[in-house]
């Protein structure tokens, strides 16, 4: 497998604390220095529910905001549910 076939995913969620996820979201731009496509999936993750006290059906606005921030930071690929 060559370098051109590698996509980076910082793994939002996946057993991290809400604080870890916020730090990753805040540091997404730093991953672009690695010059590989960056993939993020934040769709209604449980950390949003913990931070906001929101049920899954109420997390869409937060997921859209996090996705918009990710794209602004240079993320090229967004993974849905």
């Amino acid at each position: 497998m060559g370098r051109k076939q590698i996509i980076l995913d910082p793994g939002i969620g996946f057993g991290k604390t809400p604080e870890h996820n916020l730090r990753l979201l805040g540091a997404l731009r730093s991953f672009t220095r690695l010059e590989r496509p960056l993939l993020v999936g934040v769709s209604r993750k449980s950390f949003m529910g913990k931070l906001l006290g929101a049920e899954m059906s109420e997390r869409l606005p937060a997921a859209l905001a996090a996705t918009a921030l990710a794209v602004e930071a240079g993320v090229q690929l967004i993974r849905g549910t």
Side-chain angles (χ1 to χ4, degrees), residues 5-75:
Q5 294 176 308
I6 296 174
I7 295 173
L8 301 177
D9 180 349
I12 305 295
F14 300 102
K16 295 172 188 66
T17 66
E19 293 77 18
H20 291 150
N21 289 308
L22 290 176
R23 258 197 259 164
L24 277 173
L25 286 170
L28 286 174
R29 190 170 300 284
S30 67
F31 288 97
T32 62
R33 293 179 312 182
L34 300 171
E35 299 179 350
R36 300 301 330 126
L38 189 56
L39 170 110
V40 170
V42 293
S43 182
R44 303 180 201 195
K45 296 279 186 168
S46 64
F47 84 93
M48 292 179 189
K50 291 175 186 171
L51 289 170
L52 302 171
E55 296 297 322
M56 173 104 50
S57 62
E58 301 168 320
R59 298 179 199 164
L60 181 58
L64 292 173
T67 299
L69 290 171
V71 170
E72 193 278 326
V75 173

